[in-house]
Protein backbone atom coordinates (compact mmCIF):
# COMPACT_ATOMS: atom_id res chain seq x y z
CA UNK A 1 0.00 0.00 0.00
CA UNK A 2 2.99 2.27 0.29
CA UNK A 3 3.13 2.49 -3.48
CA UNK A 4 -0.43 3.81 -3.59
CA UNK A 5 0.36 6.47 -1.07
CA UNK A 6 3.46 7.58 -2.92
CA UNK A 7 1.57 7.86 -6.18
CA UNK A 8 -0.64 10.62 -4.77
CA UNK A 9 1.62 12.92 -2.77
CA UNK A 10 -0.24 16.17 -3.39
CA UNK A 11 -3.66 14.76 -2.57
CA UNK A 12 -2.53 12.79 0.45
CA UNK A 13 -0.58 15.74 1.79
CA UNK A 14 -3.70 17.84 1.53
CA UNK A 15 -5.67 15.19 3.38
CA UNK A 16 -3.11 15.12 6.19
CA UNK A 17 -3.26 18.87 6.55
CA UNK A 18 -7.00 18.68 6.65
CA UNK A 19 -6.99 15.99 9.31
CA UNK A 20 -5.12 18.34 11.61
CA UNK A 21 -7.77 21.03 11.26
CA UNK A 22 -11.20 21.10 12.78
CA UNK A 23 -12.45 23.56 10.17
CA UNK A 24 -14.69 22.52 7.30
CA UNK A 25 -13.45 25.31 5.03
CA UNK A 26 -11.89 24.57 1.60
CA UNK A 27 -8.19 23.65 1.70
CA UNK A 28 -7.04 26.96 0.22
CA UNK A 29 -8.77 30.31 0.27
CA UNK A 30 -9.61 32.05 -2.99
CA UNK A 31 -9.62 35.61 -1.71
CA UNK A 32 -7.25 36.81 -4.43
CA UNK A 33 -8.93 35.28 -7.46
CA UNK A 34 -12.40 35.27 -8.89
CA UNK A 35 -13.25 31.57 -8.99
CA UNK A 36 -16.61 29.85 -8.98
CA UNK A 37 -16.92 27.59 -5.93
CA UNK A 38 -19.32 24.65 -6.21
CA UNK A 39 -20.90 23.83 -2.82
CA UNK A 40 -20.62 20.30 -1.42
CA UNK A 41 -24.26 19.32 -1.67
CA UNK A 42 -26.51 17.12 -3.81
CA UNK A 43 -28.78 19.48 -5.69
CA UNK A 44 -29.78 20.30 -9.25
CA UNK A 45 -29.08 23.92 -8.31
CA UNK A 46 -25.39 23.03 -8.71
CA UNK A 47 -25.96 22.69 -12.47
CA UNK A 48 -25.99 26.48 -12.81
CA UNK A 49 -22.47 26.63 -11.36
CA UNK A 50 -21.23 24.38 -14.17
CA UNK A 51 -23.01 26.22 -16.99
CA UNK A 52 -20.63 28.13 -19.27
CA UNK A 53 -17.68 26.09 -20.57
CA UNK A 54 -19.90 24.02 -22.86
CA UNK A 55 -21.16 27.11 -24.67
CA UNK A 56 -17.62 28.38 -25.20
CA UNK A 57 -16.74 24.97 -26.63
CA UNK A 58 -19.90 24.73 -28.77
CA UNK A 59 -18.76 27.77 -30.76
CA UNK A 60 -16.27 25.57 -32.62
CA UNK A 61 -19.21 23.56 -34.00
CA UNK A 62 -20.90 26.63 -35.47
CA UNK A 63 -17.93 28.63 -36.70
CA UNK A 64 -17.73 30.10 -40.24
CA UNK A 65 -15.92 26.99 -41.48
CA UNK A 66 -18.89 24.85 -40.45
CA UNK A 67 -21.25 27.37 -42.04
CA UNK A 68 -19.56 26.96 -45.42
CA UNK A 69 -19.53 23.15 -45.23
CA UNK A 70 -23.21 23.07 -44.20
CA UNK A 71 -24.21 25.47 -46.97
CA UNK A 72 -22.58 23.33 -49.65
CA UNK A 73 -24.04 20.12 -48.20
CA UNK A 74 -27.56 21.54 -48.39
CA UNK A 75 -27.01 23.03 -51.85
CA UNK A 76 -25.68 19.78 -53.33
CA UNK A 77 -27.78 17.16 -51.53
CA UNK A 78 -30.73 19.03 -50.01
CA UNK A 79 -31.61 17.27 -46.69
CA UNK A 80 -30.00 13.88 -47.42
CA UNK A 81 -26.94 14.45 -45.20
CA UNK A 82 -28.70 15.74 -42.08
CA UNK A 83 -28.16 12.36 -40.42
CA UNK A 84 -24.40 12.98 -40.62
CA UNK A 85 -24.83 16.08 -38.45
CA UNK A 86 -26.83 14.05 -35.91
CA UNK A 87 -24.20 11.29 -35.71
CA UNK A 88 -21.34 13.80 -35.54
CA UNK A 89 -23.05 15.76 -32.76
CA UNK A 90 -23.50 12.61 -30.63
CA UNK A 91 -19.84 11.68 -31.17
CA UNK A 92 -18.81 15.24 -30.32
CA UNK A 93 -20.74 15.12 -27.03
CA UNK A 94 -18.93 11.94 -25.98
CA UNK A 95 -15.49 13.29 -26.91
CA UNK A 96 -16.04 16.71 -25.33
CA UNK A 97 -17.32 15.10 -22.12
CA UNK A 98 -14.13 13.07 -21.94
CA UNK A 99 -12.07 16.26 -22.26
CA UNK A 100 -14.06 17.83 -19.41
CA UNK A 101 -13.65 14.71 -17.26
CA UNK A 102 -9.87 14.78 -17.73
CA UNK A 103 -9.67 18.28 -16.30
CA UNK A 104 -12.15 17.66 -13.47
CA UNK A 105 -10.58 14.42 -12.23
CA UNK A 106 -6.88 15.23 -12.56
CA UNK A 107 -6.80 18.99 -12.04
CA UNK A 108 -4.70 19.31 -15.22
CA UNK A 109 -5.77 20.03 -18.77
CA UNK A 110 -4.81 18.05 -21.87
CA UNK A 111 -1.79 20.16 -22.87
CA UNK A 112 -0.29 19.82 -19.38
CA UNK A 113 -0.71 16.05 -19.47
CA UNK A 114 1.08 15.96 -22.83
CA UNK A 115 4.00 17.93 -21.35
CA UNK A 116 4.43 15.56 -18.40
CA UNK A 117 3.79 12.37 -20.39
CA UNK A 118 5.89 12.77 -23.56
CA UNK A 119 9.58 13.37 -24.06
CA UNK A 120 10.84 16.80 -25.16
CA UNK A 121 10.88 16.17 -28.92
CA UNK A 122 7.37 14.62 -29.21
CA UNK A 123 6.03 17.25 -26.83
CA UNK A 124 7.54 20.06 -28.92
CA UNK A 125 6.09 18.58 -32.12
CA UNK A 126 2.65 18.25 -30.51
CA UNK A 127 2.85 21.88 -29.38
CA UNK A 128 3.76 23.09 -32.89
CA UNK A 129 0.88 21.08 -34.36
CA UNK A 130 -1.53 22.47 -31.76
CA UNK A 131 -0.46 26.04 -32.53
CA UNK A 132 -0.88 25.44 -36.28
CA UNK A 133 -4.35 24.01 -35.62
CA UNK A 134 -5.36 27.12 -33.65
CA UNK A 135 -4.18 29.42 -36.44
CA UNK A 136 -5.91 27.23 -39.05
CA UNK A 137 -9.13 27.44 -37.06
CA UNK A 138 -8.73 31.18 -36.60
CA UNK A 139 -8.42 31.99 -40.31
CA UNK A 140 -12.01 31.01 -41.28
CA UNK A 141 -13.29 33.00 -38.32
CA UNK A 142 -11.40 36.12 -39.42
CA UNK A 143 -12.56 35.74 -43.02
CA UNK A 144 -16.13 34.92 -41.96
CA UNK A 145 -16.32 38.08 -39.86
CA UNK A 146 -14.89 40.12 -42.74
CA UNK A 147 -17.55 38.68 -45.08
CA UNK A 148 -20.26 39.55 -42.53
CA UNK A 149 -19.04 43.16 -42.29
CA UNK A 150 -19.03 43.32 -46.09
CA UNK A 151 -22.62 42.03 -46.24
CA UNK A 152 -23.89 44.40 -43.55
CA UNK A 153 -21.92 47.59 -44.22
CA UNK A 154 -20.30 47.02 -47.67
CA UNK A 155 -16.84 47.21 -46.11
CA UNK A 156 -14.13 45.70 -48.37
CA UNK A 157 -13.07 42.25 -47.24
CA UNK A 158 -9.44 43.25 -46.59
CA UNK A 159 -10.52 46.13 -44.33
CA UNK A 160 -12.93 43.76 -42.58
CA UNK A 161 -9.99 41.45 -41.84
CA UNK A 162 -8.19 44.29 -40.05
CA UNK A 163 -11.32 45.33 -38.14
CA UNK A 164 -11.81 41.74 -37.01
CA UNK A 165 -8.56 41.79 -35.07
CA UNK A 166 -9.43 45.05 -33.32
CA UNK A 167 -12.98 44.03 -32.44
CA UNK A 168 -11.81 40.74 -30.97
CA UNK A 169 -9.35 42.50 -28.68
CA UNK A 170 -12.15 44.80 -27.52
CA UNK A 171 -14.39 41.85 -26.72
CA UNK A 172 -11.56 40.10 -24.88
CA UNK A 173 -11.23 43.19 -22.70
CA UNK A 174 -14.60 42.23 -21.22
CA UNK A 175 -12.85 39.42 -19.33
CA UNK A 176 -11.97 41.93 -16.60
CA UNK A 177 -15.60 41.81 -15.51
CA UNK A 178 -15.40 38.13 -14.61
CA UNK A 179 -15.50 34.73 -16.23
CA UNK A 180 -19.28 34.48 -15.81
CA UNK A 181 -19.81 37.68 -17.78
CA UNK A 182 -17.71 36.34 -20.63
CA UNK A 183 -19.60 33.03 -20.59
CA UNK A 184 -22.92 34.90 -20.68
CA UNK A 185 -21.66 36.94 -23.63
CA UNK A 186 -20.71 33.82 -25.59
CA UNK A 187 -24.03 32.15 -24.70
CA UNK A 188 -25.84 35.29 -25.90
CA UNK A 189 -23.96 35.14 -29.22
CA UNK A 190 -24.78 31.44 -29.60
CA UNK A 191 -28.48 32.09 -29.08
CA UNK A 192 -28.26 35.06 -31.47
CA UNK A 193 -26.97 32.71 -34.16
CA UNK A 194 -29.73 30.23 -33.33
CA UNK A 195 -32.41 32.94 -33.48
CA UNK A 196 -31.18 34.16 -36.86
CA UNK A 197 -31.30 30.73 -38.45
CA UNK A 198 -34.65 29.86 -36.92
CA UNK A 199 -35.93 33.03 -38.56
CA UNK A 200 -34.26 31.89 -41.81
CA UNK A 201 -36.23 28.64 -41.53
CA UNK A 202 -39.38 30.74 -41.34
CA UNK A 203 -38.41 32.42 -44.61
CA UNK A 204 -37.31 29.22 -46.38
CA UNK A 205 -40.20 27.00 -45.16
CA UNK A 206 -38.58 23.57 -45.75
CA UNK A 207 -40.90 20.56 -45.88
CA UNK A 208 -40.83 19.13 -42.34
CA UNK A 209 -41.34 15.50 -43.42
CA UNK A 210 -38.35 15.71 -45.80
CA UNK A 211 -36.18 17.24 -43.08
CA UNK A 212 -37.10 14.47 -40.61
CA UNK A 213 -36.49 11.80 -43.25
CA UNK A 214 -33.02 13.18 -43.99
CA UNK A 215 -32.30 13.40 -40.26
CA UNK A 216 -33.14 9.81 -39.30
CA UNK A 217 -32.68 7.78 -42.52
CA UNK A 218 -28.99 7.36 -43.48
CA UNK A 219 -28.36 7.77 -47.20
CA UNK A 220 -25.50 8.66 -49.52
CA UNK A 221 -26.88 9.33 -52.99
CA UNK A 222 -25.47 11.14 -55.97
CA UNK A 223 -21.94 11.95 -57.01
CA UNK A 224 -19.77 13.55 -54.38
CA UNK A 225 -22.08 12.76 -51.45
CA UNK A 226 -19.43 10.65 -49.72
CA UNK A 227 -16.87 13.45 -49.96
CA UNK A 228 -19.33 16.04 -48.62
CA UNK A 229 -20.26 13.67 -45.77
CA UNK A 230 -16.57 13.32 -44.93
CA UNK A 231 -16.21 17.11 -44.91
CA UNK A 232 -19.18 17.43 -42.53
CA UNK A 233 -17.73 14.89 -40.11
CA UNK A 234 -14.23 16.32 -40.34
CA UNK A 235 -15.46 19.84 -39.61
CA UNK A 236 -17.34 18.88 -36.46
CA UNK A 237 -14.55 17.94 -34.00
CA UNK A 238 -11.79 20.54 -33.76
CA UNK A 239 -8.38 19.71 -32.18
CA UNK A 240 -8.11 23.00 -30.27
CA UNK A 241 -11.50 22.33 -28.68
CA UNK A 242 -10.15 19.33 -26.77
CA UNK A 243 -7.42 21.44 -25.18
CA UNK A 244 -9.90 24.25 -24.49
CA UNK A 245 -12.61 22.19 -22.80
CA UNK A 246 -10.24 20.33 -20.48
CA UNK A 247 -8.89 23.71 -19.30
CA UNK A 248 -12.15 25.66 -19.01
CA UNK A 249 -13.55 23.24 -16.42
CA UNK A 250 -10.70 24.24 -14.11
CA UNK A 251 -12.37 27.62 -13.61
CA UNK A 252 -14.69 25.84 -11.13
CA UNK A 253 -13.60 24.75 -7.68
CA UNK A 254 -15.04 21.25 -7.43
CA UNK A 255 -15.29 19.18 -4.20
CA UNK A 256 -12.72 16.37 -4.27
CA UNK A 257 -14.99 13.69 -2.85
CA UNK A 258 -16.16 10.74 -4.94
CA UNK A 259 -19.63 12.22 -4.95
CA UNK A 260 -18.38 15.70 -5.84
CA UNK A 261 -16.27 14.55 -8.78
CA UNK A 262 -18.99 12.26 -10.16
CA UNK A 263 -21.49 15.10 -9.89
CA UNK A 264 -19.10 17.47 -11.70
CA UNK A 265 -18.56 14.97 -14.53
CA UNK A 266 -22.30 14.37 -14.82
CA UNK A 267 -23.25 18.05 -14.80
CA UNK A 268 -20.54 18.97 -17.28
CA UNK A 269 -21.91 16.32 -19.63
CA UNK A 270 -25.43 17.72 -19.23
CA UNK A 271 -24.18 21.26 -19.74
CA UNK A 272 -22.19 20.24 -22.83
CA UNK A 273 -25.25 18.38 -24.11
CA UNK A 274 -27.43 21.50 -23.84
CA UNK A 275 -24.85 23.62 -25.66
CA UNK A 276 -24.24 21.02 -28.38
CA UNK A 277 -27.99 20.56 -28.94
CA UNK A 278 -28.20 24.27 -29.71
CA UNK A 279 -25.19 23.94 -32.04
CA UNK A 280 -26.81 20.90 -33.69
CA UNK A 281 -30.05 22.83 -34.33
CA UNK A 282 -28.04 25.66 -35.89
CA UNK A 283 -26.19 23.28 -38.25
CA UNK A 284 -29.49 21.57 -39.10
CA UNK A 285 -31.07 24.95 -39.87
CA UNK A 286 -28.21 26.01 -42.15
CA UNK A 287 -28.46 22.80 -44.21
CA UNK A 288 -32.27 22.99 -44.28
CA UNK A 289 -32.26 26.62 -45.45
CA UNK A 290 -29.58 25.97 -48.07
CA UNK A 291 -31.35 22.84 -49.30
CA UNK A 292 -34.70 24.63 -49.56
CA UNK A 293 -33.29 27.65 -51.38
CA UNK A 294 -31.16 25.72 -53.88
CA UNK A 295 -33.98 23.27 -54.71
CA UNK A 296 -36.42 26.10 -55.45
CA UNK A 297 -37.84 25.89 -58.98
CA UNK A 298 -37.70 29.68 -59.41
CA UNK A 299 -33.92 30.11 -59.32
CA UNK A 300 -32.28 32.36 -61.90
CA UNK A 301 -29.28 31.03 -63.89
CA UNK A 302 -26.93 33.10 -61.70
CA UNK A 303 -28.47 31.65 -58.52
CA UNK A 304 -28.13 28.11 -59.90
CA UNK A 305 -24.45 28.81 -60.52
CA UNK A 306 -24.06 30.12 -56.95
CA UNK A 307 -25.61 26.92 -55.57
CA UNK A 308 -23.06 24.83 -57.43
CA UNK A 309 -20.25 26.47 -55.45
CA UNK A 310 -21.94 28.03 -52.43
CA UNK A 311 -19.44 30.02 -50.39
CA UNK A 312 -20.15 32.27 -47.41
CA UNK A 313 -20.09 35.37 -49.59
CA UNK A 314 -22.34 33.95 -52.31
CA UNK A 315 -24.83 32.67 -49.75
CA UNK A 316 -25.76 36.21 -48.74
CA UNK A 317 -26.59 37.25 -52.32
CA UNK A 318 -28.45 34.00 -52.93
CA UNK A 319 -30.62 34.42 -49.83
CA UNK A 320 -31.33 38.03 -50.73
CA UNK A 321 -32.38 37.09 -54.27
CA UNK A 322 -34.58 34.16 -53.25
CA UNK A 323 -35.90 34.98 -49.77
CA UNK A 324 -35.52 38.75 -49.58
CA UNK A 325 -33.17 41.37 -48.16
CA UNK A 326 -33.96 40.63 -44.49
CA UNK A 327 -32.91 37.01 -44.94
CA UNK A 328 -29.51 38.16 -46.18
CA UNK A 329 -29.13 40.50 -43.19
CA UNK A 330 -30.02 37.74 -40.72
CA UNK A 331 -27.41 35.48 -42.27
CA UNK A 332 -24.79 38.24 -42.00
CA UNK A 333 -25.65 38.90 -38.32
CA UNK A 334 -25.36 35.18 -37.56
CA UNK A 335 -22.02 35.01 -39.39
CA UNK A 336 -20.74 38.07 -37.51
CA UNK A 337 -21.72 36.57 -34.13
CA UNK A 338 -20.13 33.26 -35.10
CA UNK A 339 -16.85 34.81 -36.23
CA UNK A 340 -16.45 37.06 -33.20
CA UNK A 341 -17.27 34.41 -30.60
CA UNK A 342 -15.05 31.85 -32.36
CA UNK A 343 -12.04 34.15 -32.34
CA UNK A 344 -12.45 34.73 -28.59
CA UNK A 345 -12.50 31.02 -27.78
CA UNK A 346 -9.65 30.37 -30.22
CA UNK A 347 -7.52 32.95 -28.43
CA UNK A 348 -8.20 31.29 -25.08
CA UNK A 349 -7.27 27.90 -26.54
CA UNK A 350 -3.96 29.39 -27.68
CA UNK A 351 -3.22 30.62 -24.17
CA UNK A 352 -3.90 27.23 -22.60
CA UNK A 353 -1.86 25.39 -25.23
CA UNK A 354 1.20 27.59 -24.68
CA UNK A 355 0.88 27.40 -20.89
CA UNK A 356 0.34 23.64 -20.94
CA UNK A 357 2.97 22.45 -23.42
CA UNK A 358 5.74 24.90 -22.55
CA UNK A 359 4.84 25.95 -19.01
CA UNK A 360 5.16 29.43 -20.45
CA UNK A 361 2.75 32.27 -19.86
CA UNK A 362 2.66 35.47 -21.84
CA UNK A 363 0.70 38.54 -20.88
CA UNK A 364 -2.86 38.10 -22.23
CA UNK A 365 -2.69 41.12 -24.55
CA UNK A 366 0.59 39.88 -26.06
CA UNK A 367 -0.73 36.36 -26.60
CA UNK A 368 -3.91 37.78 -28.14
CA UNK A 369 -1.87 40.02 -30.45
CA UNK A 370 0.30 37.10 -31.62
CA UNK A 371 -2.71 34.85 -32.25
CA UNK A 372 -4.57 37.60 -34.12
CA UNK A 373 -1.51 38.45 -36.23
CA UNK A 374 -0.86 34.84 -37.26
CA UNK A 375 -4.44 34.55 -38.50
CA UNK A 376 -4.83 38.06 -39.92
CA UNK A 377 -1.62 38.21 -41.99
CA UNK A 378 -2.40 35.27 -44.35
CA UNK A 379 -6.09 36.27 -44.47
CA UNK A 380 -5.17 39.84 -45.39
CA UNK A 381 -2.68 38.77 -48.09
CA UNK A 382 -5.19 36.39 -49.69
CA UNK A 383 -8.02 38.94 -49.44
CA UNK A 384 -5.88 41.61 -51.15
CA UNK A 385 -4.63 39.31 -53.92
CA UNK A 386 -7.51 36.89 -54.45
CA UNK A 387 -10.49 38.89 -53.19
CA UNK A 388 -13.57 37.15 -51.83
CA UNK A 389 -13.06 33.99 -53.91
CA UNK A 390 -9.49 33.62 -52.71
CA UNK A 391 -10.58 34.08 -49.09
CA UNK A 392 -13.21 31.38 -49.60
CA UNK A 393 -10.57 29.00 -50.95
CA UNK A 394 -8.43 29.68 -47.88
CA UNK A 395 -11.26 28.42 -45.66
CA UNK A 396 -11.22 25.09 -47.55
CA UNK A 397 -7.44 24.79 -47.12
CA UNK A 398 -7.66 25.42 -43.38
CA UNK A 399 -10.36 22.76 -43.01
CA UNK A 400 -7.95 20.26 -44.56
CA UNK A 401 -5.24 21.33 -42.09
CA UNK A 402 -7.62 20.79 -39.16
CA UNK A 403 -8.50 17.32 -40.47
CA UNK A 404 -4.79 16.55 -40.61
CA UNK A 405 -4.19 17.85 -37.07
CA UNK A 406 -7.07 16.17 -35.22
CA UNK A 407 -5.44 12.78 -34.37
CA UNK A 408 -2.61 14.50 -32.49
CA UNK A 409 -5.07 15.86 -29.94
CA UNK A 410 -7.68 13.10 -30.06
CA UNK A 411 -5.36 10.11 -29.52
CA UNK A 412 -3.73 11.52 -26.34
CA UNK A 413 -7.19 12.36 -24.98
CA UNK A 414 -8.45 8.82 -25.61
CA UNK A 415 -5.29 7.32 -24.13
CA UNK A 416 -5.32 9.48 -20.99
CA UNK A 417 -9.05 9.13 -20.18
CA UNK A 418 -8.90 5.35 -20.61
CA UNK A 419 -5.86 5.03 -18.33
CA UNK A 420 -6.21 4.16 -14.64
CA UNK A 421 -2.80 5.70 -13.99
CA UNK A 422 -4.27 9.01 -15.10
CA UNK A 423 -7.93 8.77 -14.07
CA UNK A 424 -8.04 6.17 -11.30
CA UNK A 425 -11.64 5.19 -10.52
CA UNK A 426 -12.87 7.60 -13.17
CA UNK A 427 -11.12 5.97 -16.15
CA UNK A 428 -13.37 5.06 -19.06
CA UNK A 429 -15.11 1.71 -18.65
CA UNK A 430 -14.22 -1.04 -21.13
CA UNK A 431 -17.47 -0.44 -23.03
CA UNK A 432 -16.98 3.33 -23.13
CA UNK A 433 -13.30 2.98 -24.05
CA UNK A 434 -14.19 0.63 -26.91
CA UNK A 435 -16.92 3.00 -28.11
CA UNK A 436 -14.68 6.06 -27.98
CA UNK A 437 -11.83 4.31 -29.76
CA UNK A 438 -14.23 3.19 -32.50
CA UNK A 439 -15.43 6.78 -32.84
CA UNK A 440 -11.83 7.99 -32.79
CA UNK A 441 -10.67 5.55 -35.47
CA UNK A 442 -13.73 6.38 -37.57
CA UNK A 443 -13.02 10.13 -37.41
CA UNK A 444 -9.30 9.63 -38.05
CA UNK A 445 -10.01 7.21 -40.89
CA UNK A 446 -12.40 9.66 -42.51
CA UNK A 447 -9.91 12.49 -42.23
CA UNK A 448 -7.04 10.37 -43.60
CA UNK A 449 -9.23 9.26 -46.51
CA UNK A 450 -10.11 12.91 -47.15
CA UNK A 451 -6.44 13.90 -47.18
CA UNK A 452 -5.37 11.05 -49.48
CA UNK A 453 -8.26 11.80 -51.84
CA UNK A 454 -7.27 15.46 -52.00
CA UNK A 455 -3.60 14.56 -52.60
CA UNK A 456 -4.50 12.24 -55.48
CA UNK A 457 -6.90 14.83 -56.93
CA UNK A 458 -4.23 17.54 -56.85
CA UNK A 459 -1.70 15.24 -58.55
CA UNK A 460 -4.14 14.12 -61.26
CA UNK A 461 -5.19 17.67 -62.17
CA UNK A 462 -1.73 19.18 -61.78
CA UNK A 463 -0.21 20.84 -64.89
CA UNK A 464 3.14 19.21 -64.06
CA UNK A 465 4.73 16.69 -66.39
CA UNK A 466 4.73 12.99 -65.53
CA UNK A 467 8.17 13.15 -63.89
CA UNK A 468 7.07 16.07 -61.74
CA UNK A 469 3.85 14.30 -60.72
CA UNK A 470 5.78 11.16 -59.78
CA UNK A 471 8.26 13.16 -57.71
CA UNK A 472 5.49 15.09 -55.93
CA UNK A 473 3.60 11.84 -55.41
CA UNK A 474 6.62 10.22 -53.75
CA UNK A 475 7.04 13.24 -51.48
CA UNK A 476 3.34 13.36 -50.69
CA UNK A 477 2.96 9.70 -49.83
CA UNK A 478 6.25 9.69 -47.88
CA UNK A 479 4.77 12.49 -45.83
CA UNK A 480 1.59 10.44 -45.34
CA UNK A 481 3.66 7.48 -44.09
CA UNK A 482 5.48 9.74 -41.64
CA UNK A 483 2.12 11.14 -40.55
CA UNK A 484 0.69 7.65 -39.97
CA UNK A 485 3.85 6.66 -38.08
CA UNK A 486 3.33 9.61 -35.73
CA UNK A 487 -0.26 8.55 -35.04
CA UNK A 488 0.86 4.94 -34.49
CA UNK A 489 3.49 6.13 -31.97
CA UNK A 490 0.84 7.93 -29.94
CA UNK A 491 -1.49 4.92 -30.02
CA UNK A 492 1.08 2.22 -29.19
CA UNK A 493 3.10 4.12 -26.56
CA UNK A 494 2.08 3.21 -23.02
CA UNK A 495 1.29 5.92 -20.49
CA UNK A 496 4.08 6.29 -17.93
CA UNK A 497 3.21 9.27 -15.74
CA UNK A 498 0.54 8.91 -13.05
CA UNK A 499 -1.69 11.79 -12.04
CA UNK A 500 -1.07 13.20 -8.56
CA UNK A 501 -4.41 14.90 -8.10
CA UNK A 502 -6.66 11.85 -8.28
CA UNK A 503 -9.23 11.85 -5.50
CA UNK A 504 -10.19 8.88 -3.33
CA UNK A 505 -8.70 6.13 -5.48
CA UNK A 506 -7.47 3.92 -2.64
CA UNK A 507 -9.14 2.58 0.53
CA UNK A 508 -6.63 4.56 2.64
CA UNK A 509 -7.47 7.88 1.02
CA UNK A 510 -11.21 7.19 1.36
CA UNK A 511 -10.82 6.42 5.04
CA UNK A 512 -8.84 9.63 5.58
CA UNK A 513 -11.50 11.58 3.71
CA UNK A 514 -14.24 10.13 5.89
CA UNK A 515 -12.31 10.98 9.06
CA UNK A 516 -11.69 14.55 7.90
CA UNK A 517 -15.16 15.11 6.46
CA UNK A 518 -15.86 14.96 2.73
CA UNK A 519 -17.47 18.38 2.74
CA UNK A 520 -14.11 20.10 2.98
CA UNK A 521 -12.24 18.13 0.32
CA UNK A 522 -11.76 20.58 -2.55
CA UNK A 523 -9.40 20.55 -5.48
CA UNK A 524 -6.21 22.55 -5.31
CA UNK A 525 -6.91 25.95 -6.88
CA UNK A 526 -5.60 26.50 -10.39
CA UNK A 527 -4.74 30.16 -9.97
CA UNK A 528 -2.67 30.11 -13.16
CA UNK A 529 -5.70 29.08 -15.20
CA UNK A 530 -8.02 31.54 -13.53
CA UNK A 531 -5.66 34.50 -13.81
CA UNK A 532 -5.18 33.64 -17.46
CA UNK A 533 -8.89 34.11 -17.94
CA UNK A 534 -9.28 37.02 -15.54
CA UNK A 535 -7.18 39.78 -14.06
CA UNK A 536 -6.44 39.35 -10.36
CA UNK A 537 -9.42 40.55 -8.37
CA UNK A 538 -10.20 40.66 -4.68
CA UNK A 539 -13.69 39.19 -4.82
CA UNK A 540 -14.89 35.61 -4.84
CA UNK A 541 -17.95 34.46 -6.76
CA UNK A 542 -19.92 31.84 -4.86
CA UNK A 543 -22.80 30.00 -6.46
CA UNK A 544 -25.42 29.21 -3.85
Amino acid sequence: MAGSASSQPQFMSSMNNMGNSSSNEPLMEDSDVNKIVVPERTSWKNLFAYMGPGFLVSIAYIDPGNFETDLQAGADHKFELLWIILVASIAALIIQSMAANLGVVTGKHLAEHCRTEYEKVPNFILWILAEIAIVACDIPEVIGTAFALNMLFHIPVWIGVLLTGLSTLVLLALQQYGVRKLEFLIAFLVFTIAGCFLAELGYAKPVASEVLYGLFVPQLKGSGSTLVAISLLGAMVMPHNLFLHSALVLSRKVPRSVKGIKEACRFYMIESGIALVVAFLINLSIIAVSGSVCSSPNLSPDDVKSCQDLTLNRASFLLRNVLGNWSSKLFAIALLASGQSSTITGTYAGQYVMQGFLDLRLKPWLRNLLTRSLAIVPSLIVALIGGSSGAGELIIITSMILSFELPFALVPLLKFTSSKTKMGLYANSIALAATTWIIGFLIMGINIYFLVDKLISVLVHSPLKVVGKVFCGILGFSGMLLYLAGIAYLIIRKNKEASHLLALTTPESRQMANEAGNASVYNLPRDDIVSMQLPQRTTTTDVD
Side-chain angles (χ1 to χ4, degrees), residues 107 165 228 283 287 316 328 378 395 422 523 539:
V228 175
N283 283 299
I287 294 177
S316 173
S328 174
I395 292 179
K422 299 286 187 187
N523 66 318
T539 59

Side-chain angles (χ1 to χ4, degrees), residues 71-72 74-76 290 293-295 299 301-311 314 318 322:
L71 287 168
Q72 196 61 60
D76 291 345
S290 174
V293 169
C294 287
S295 62
L299 292 180
D302 288 340
D303 290 337
V304 171
K305 186 177 179 180
S306 293
C307 283
Q308 292 173 353
D309 185 18
L310 192 56
T311 62
R314 289 181 180 176
L318 177 66
V322 179

Side-chain angles (χ1 to χ4, degrees), residues 7-29:
S7 66
Q8 301 175 6
Q10 294 182 30
F11 179 74
M12 299 302 289
S13 174
S14 301
M15 297 297 295
N16 289 331
N17 293 336
M18 215 174 57
N20 296 329
S21 172
S22 59
S23 172
N24 278 336
E25 295 299 317
L27 291 177
M28 297 180 68
E29 294 295 333

Side-chain angles (χ1 to χ4, degrees), residues 63 86 170 173 216 257 299 308 375 381 384 475 492-493 505 507:
D63 70 355
L86 178 60
V170 171
F216 295 108
S257 62
L299 292 180
Q308 292 173 353
I381 293 172
L384 286 171
L475 286 178
I492 296 172
R493 183 187 182 278
T505 55

Side-chain angles (χ1 to χ4, degrees), residues 2 53 83 179 197 220 233 319 351 371 414 468 476:
W83 66 276
V179 67
F197 278 107
L220 287 173
L233 280 171
L319 292 172
Q351 294 176 16
T371 305
L414 296 178

